[in-house]
Amino acid sequence: MPSPSKKRRRRTLRQVARGVRRRARRMAGGARRIWRRSLQLRVVTSTMVISIAVVAVLGVFLMQQIISTTLETRELSAKSEAQSDRNTVLGYLTRPDADAADQPDDSGEALQTGGDSPLGQATRALAQRAGSASRYSVIIRNENRPGEFQATPEIDPISIPEKQREELFKKPAGEDSIWYDRLYYKGQSEPVQGMIIGTRLDTGETGLDDSYEIYHLVPLDKEEQTLSSVQQKLTAVGAGLVLLLAAIASLVTRQVVTPVRLTRQAAERLAAGRLDERLKVRGEDDLARLATSFNEMAANLALKIHQLEELSQVQRQFVSDVSHELRTPLTTVRMAADLLYDAREDFDPMAARSAELMQNQLNRFESMLADLLEISRYDAGAADLDVDSVDVRDVVLRAVADSEALAERHSTRFDLRLPSEPCMAEMDSRRVERILRNLLFNAIEHGEGREVVVSVGADRDAVAVAVRDHGVGLKPGEENMVFDRFWRADPSRARTIGGTGLGLAISREDAILHGGWLQAWGVPGEGSQFRLSLPRVSGTALRGSPLPLVPPEVEMRRTWRGHMTPMLLPALADGGRDVD
């Protein structure tokens, strides 16, 4: 069983690995954001990548051509020297005294006459012609005299591999065999890359049944150094060319990106409300025409916004004036209507019914007038809060009590899910209660007589109230439209509860005034849910809500469906019967 110290060490290593992964992800995310947002970076990077590819292809092609030309030149020179050396060797070997000089003795060993034999004299002559091993070396071997060879002093005979000797014997005498291999020199620990030209020289025409192998070993270390220097210079020139092209691309791109960036910044300031923002026009090119068009658009937009503001101000003033002006005659009418309503029992049935209808419509008219006055206060920025620390549960219970009569008429039952502990929060209880009444009335209106669930939740920073109905629901995209003024989900649907269509709009303004959220969720056929989230302390920022916006049973059903096996789906579609 692992010791506690090993467990702690493993845990520490896992934490370090997680931290490294998080930092790597953050760095990668930052790099991706910079890449997406910087047009100049993408252009310069693309130019560099394309330039590197082009320079690499051209560099490889040029290097191959230089290597091919250098080796061909060296090969032609070496073949010419080898042909001349073969003639020299042939002259020494065909002399009349050549046969006696290199005959084997009674033991079968070749007579090593050194420099006095024709073969030794030929080798010495070739060494003198070569001058030094850096130019070329020579190895001469006799096929019919095993172990006998002559070589210039510096070269090691192991430079000639047996495989190449076998290939040489497969060719006719006098035909060159050229290959590249490592050359070994005496006194040097490292081999040198070189070229070997091998030829068989047959002297049988003069009466001597002898066949000689002549190898010219040409070191290519100088050529290799030259080619390496050329490669380094080509690499340096290519890198400089890529950097130069990148600098040119950056300069050219800057000339285009800078005006575009200035246009973007001006557009952002214009969108932020600075309608006097304009661009400087320089020249007559496309960018100058873009700046001119932007300035004309900004001027027209400022004019239109000014006209709309004036019109909106007139409309708000009209609504406010009319709402206030209607209160005086409405008060008089209300007094007369109350007298008639109180005395309706003395009237005939027709007059009594008329008094009741007038009373109901006056109540509706007063509600509409109150909504118009409230929305005009928000438009004028005159709405304020009367904050007090209250228990959200009490506010919910008062709103539910006000909605009980309407719920009974629609055969709707409330399911209250309240916490056992107090949920204290700083709020304007009158406005919050009005929000909840609007949400409850809306749930009753569209709940089609089904149960309405009212949930309350709280955490350290916020409180929330969710009103869930199981009615017609909301179509995709209607979650935000439902808070627009005078908007209705289904215009053809008969309204059973009188109103102005401003209830949810006023509710959202009340929630925003508290620094909270009022959000909606809905699916056709599954009902809808409205969630009010408010901070516990007035004036603090709201970071989250203690209740989910999507009902838990719906979320659970979606998760369960996502994990169902494909074989189980036909069974559920077939009424839950077993599927073979």
Side-chain angles (χ1 to χ4, degrees):
M1 187 174 181
S3 62
S5 61
K6 290 184 178 179
K7 290 183 178 179
R8 285 194 296 271
R9 186 160 55 249
R10 292 175 184 173
R11 201 158 44 242
T12 303
L13 291 175
R14 284 197 296 269
Q15 292 173 354
V16 171
R18 283 197 297 269
V20 171
R21 285 196 296 269
R22 283 197 297 269
R23 285 192 292 271
R25 284 196 295 269
R26 284 197 295 267
M27 293 176 62
R32 283 195 298 269
R33 284 194 297 272
I34 295 174
W35 173 263
R36 289 195 301 267
R37 294 179 179 179
S38 178
L39 176 62
Q40 185 175 6
L41 176 62
R42 292 200 300 271
V43 172
V44 173
T45 304
S46 302
T47 303
M48 287 189 66
V49 171
I50 296 174
S51 301
I52 289 173
V54 172
V55 169
V57 171
L58 291 178
V60 170
F61 175 76
L62 290 175
M63 198 63 198
Q64 288 179 347
Q65 293 296 318
I66 293 172
I67 292 174
S68 177
T69 303
T70 302
L71 292 180
E72 286 178 359
T73 303
R74 191 70 177 99
E75 184 177 325
L76 289 175
S77 175
K79 289 173 68 175
S80 176
E81 292 173 342
Q83 182 62 39
S84 177
D85 290 345
R86 283 197 296 269
N87 294 332
T88 300
V89 172
L90 186 60
Y92 278 97
L93 295 179
T94 55
R95 288 167 49 186
D97 57 346
D99 183 57
D102 289 327
Q103 289 295 326
D105 59 8
D106 294 339
S107 64
E109 296 293 335
L111 298 175
Q112 300 296 330
T113 58
D116 296 333
S117 68
L119 190 59
Q121 293 175 9
T123 303
R124 188 171 64 250
L126 297 183
Q128 292 176 354
R129 176 179 293 179
S132 65
S134 60
R135 185 179 177 189
Y136 65 86
S137 302
V138 179
I139 295 178
I140 304 176
R141 304 186 67 158
N142 192 323
E143 178 186 7
N144 296 324
R145 299 179 181 181
E148 180 182 334
F149 65 87
Q150 291 289 339
T152 53
E154 300 85 355
I155 195 66
D156 194 328
I158 64 172
S159 300
I160 308 299
E162 291 298 325
K163 182 179 179 180
Q164 297 299 332
R165 291 191 64 207
E166 294 174 0
E167 293 292 332
L168 180 63
F169 280 109
K170 295 179 182 179
K171 293 186 177 182
E175 184 175 342
D176 293 335
S177 178
I178 302 176
W179 69 91
Y180 295 88
D181 206 340
R182 292 175 295 180
L183 305 182
Y184 296 86
Y185 290 91
K186 298 175 181 179
Q188 295 185 9
S189 58
E190 296 295 332
V192 177
Q193 189 66 29
M195 176 176 58
I196 303 175
I197 303 177
T199 307
R200 278 197 308 114
L201 186 62
D202 192 357
T203 60
E205 296 179 356
T206 62
L208 297 174
D209 188 13
D210 289 330
S211 180
Y212 292 89
E213 306 164 46
I214 302 178
Y215 299 96
H216 281 72
L217 299 93
V218 182
L220 299 177
D221 52 346
K222 292 183 179 179
E223 286 77 4
E224 188 174 0
Q225 294 175 0
T226 302
L227 293 175
S228 177
S229 177
V230 171
Q231 185 176 6
Q232 292 176 358
K233 291 179 180 178
L234 282 177
T235 303
V237 171
L241 181 60
V242 169
L243 294 177
L244 180 62
L245 291 175
I248 294 174
S250 177
L251 180 62
V252 174
T253 308
R254 183 184 296 274
Q255 295 178 355
V256 178
V257 171
T258 299
V260 174
R261 185 180 293 118
L262 293 176
T263 304
R264 189 259 302 168
Q265 295 172 353
E268 291 176 350
R269 290 191 290 268
L270 187 66
R274 297 174 57 178
L275 301 180
D276 57 344
E277 186 67 30
R278 298 294 183 272
L279 291 175
K280 294 182 180 179
V281 180
R282 299 184 179 89
E284 299 178 356
D285 55 9
D286 291 336
L287 294 175
R289 292 166 61 187
L290 174 63
T292 302
S293 301
F294 178 86
N295 292 338
E296 293 176 355
M297 179 196 69
N300 293 332
L301 183 62
L303 178 61
K304 293 297 182 183
I305 291 177
H306 181 67
Q307 293 175 352
L308 291 175
E309 287 180 346
E310 290 182 347
L311 178 60
S312 178
Q313 180 64 29
V314 171
Q315 290 177 342
R316 289 196 297 267
Q317 189 65 37
F318 173 77
V319 172
S320 178
D321 292 345
V322 169
S323 301
H324 284 86
E325 292 298 328
L326 287 176
R327 293 187 67 86
T328 301
L330 179 62
T331 303
T332 304
V333 173
R334 164 61 71 183
M335 293 173 62
D338 288 342
L339 291 175
L340 293 175
Y341 184 75
D342 292 340
R344 68 185 183 281
E345 294 181 355
D346 300 332
F347 301 156
D348 60 87
M350 185 66 70
R353 178 60 179 163
S354 298
E356 291 176 355
L357 291 176
M358 183 172 62
Q359 185 74 8
N360 292 334
Q361 294 303 315
L362 278 175
N363 291 334
R364 181 181 178 186
F365 186 72
E366 282 185 337
S367 176
M368 294 170 60
L369 186 60
D371 288 345
L372 289 174
L373 287 172
E374 188 66 26
I375 207 71
S376 65
R377 291 191 190 96
Y378 279 113
D379 291 338
D384 55 358
L385 293 176
D386 185 10
V387 177
D388 193 10
S389 180
V390 297
D391 191 346
V392 179
R393 299 178 302 172
D394 297 337
V395 179
V396 171
L397 291 175
R398 288 197 297 269
V400 169
D402 294 340
S403 308
E404 284 288 352
L406 182 63
E408 290 179 0
R409 289 200 300 270
H410 286 77
S411 301
T412 301
R413 188 177 66 87
F414 291 119
D415 179 11
L416 301 182
R417 301 177 181 178
L418 308 180
S420 58
E421 298 179 356
C423 299
M424 306 303 295
E426 296 179 359
M427 63 179 67
D428 189 335
S429 59
R430 180 184 65 86
R431 294 183 183 275
V432 174
E433 189 174 338
R434 179 171 62 189
I435 296 173
L436 297 179
R437 279 198 305 270
N438 285 329
L439 298 182
L440 292 172
F441 288 171
N442 183 75
I444 296 170
E445 169 77 16
H446 300 93
E448 298 185 342
R450 297 187 180 94
E451 182 182 63
V452 173
V453 180
V454 181
S455 305
V456 177
D459 58 18
R460 185 180 60 182
D461 301 321
V463 295
V465 181
V467 178
R468 167 85 160 100
D469 67 74
H470 300 81
V472 295
L474 296 174
K475 297 177 182 178
E478 292 182 349
E479 295 85 359
N480 295 321
M481 297 172 60
V482 73
F483 298 108
D484 293 342
R485 298 179 183 182
F486 307 107
W487 183 85
R488 294 183 64 187
D490 187 1
S492 63
R493 181 184 175 94
R495 183 184 293 273
T496 60
I497 301 175
T500 60
L502 295 173
L504 291 178
I506 294 174
S507 298
R508 183 178 61 177
E509 296 291 345
D510 283 335
I512 294 174
L513 191 62
H514 281 83
W517 305 332
L518 182 57
Q519 299 163 295
W521 166 90
V523 174
E526 294 191 13
S528 60
Q529 176 164 292
F530 288 78
R531 183 184 67 180
L532 173 65
S533 305
L534 301 174
R536 276 185 177 270
V537 180
S538 179
T540 59
L542 189 63
R543 295 185 176 88
S545 178
L547 291 179
L549 180 59
V550 180
E553 66 273 10
V554 177
E555 189 67 31
M556 185 180 301
R557 189 161 57 248
R558 289 179 180 176
T559 304
W560 181 67
R561 287 176 179 174
H563 289 83
M564 281 193 306
T565 60
M567 185 174 293
L568 189 58
L569 293 176
L572 294 177
D574 198 30
R577 294 191 299 271
D578 293 336
V579 178
D580 293 336

